[in-house]
Amino acid sequence: MTYSFRPRGICAQEIIVDIDELGVIQDLRIVGGCDGNHKGLAALVKGMRAQEAMERLKGISCGPRPTSCPDQLAQGLEKILAKG
């Protein structure tokens, strides 16, 4: 299933994640922001269970910002997983 959400407090404008019926991330696309970092993040989480990605990425900051692209992905995954 494909989920899309608007992150807050970062450069990216949209996060799109595909999660299969087993809860595994199949694809991640981040619109706006640092293209290379987003490609790297997508490569790292592809094939990872969404729950594990959320736990690993939650709370990561970006410089003086209290959040980051990984943290915003984690927050989005948390909401997706809560809906079950």
Side-chain angles (χ1 to χ4, degrees):
M1 179 148 240
T2 300
Y3 301 91
S4 175
F5 51 93
R6 296 213 176 270
R8 299 203 180 272
I10 60 172
C11 301
Q13 299 150 1
E14 184 177 22
I15 297 176
I16 306 150
V17 61
D18 295 322
I19 302 173
D20 70 14
E21 63 280 350
L22 299 175
V24 176
I25 297 171
Q26 296 300 313
D27 193 32
L28 171 67
R29 296 171 305 286
I30 302 175
V31 179
C34 304
D35 186 56
N37 287 336
H38 299 325
K39 287 176 183 174
L41 180 59
L44 289 171
V45 300
K46 187 175 181 179
M48 184 182 289
R49 293 188 55 79
Q51 179 71 34
E52 181 180 0
M54 179 197 71
E55 291 167 359
R56 288 179 179 233
L57 301 174
K58 192 171 183 179
I60 294 175
S61 62
C62 183
R65 297 175 187 180
T67 190
S68 64
C69 293
D71 181 56
Q72 287 295 296
L73 172 59
Q75 290 183 38
L77 290 173
E78 187 172 41
K79 289 177 184 173
I80 291 166
L81 294 172
K83 291 179 183 177

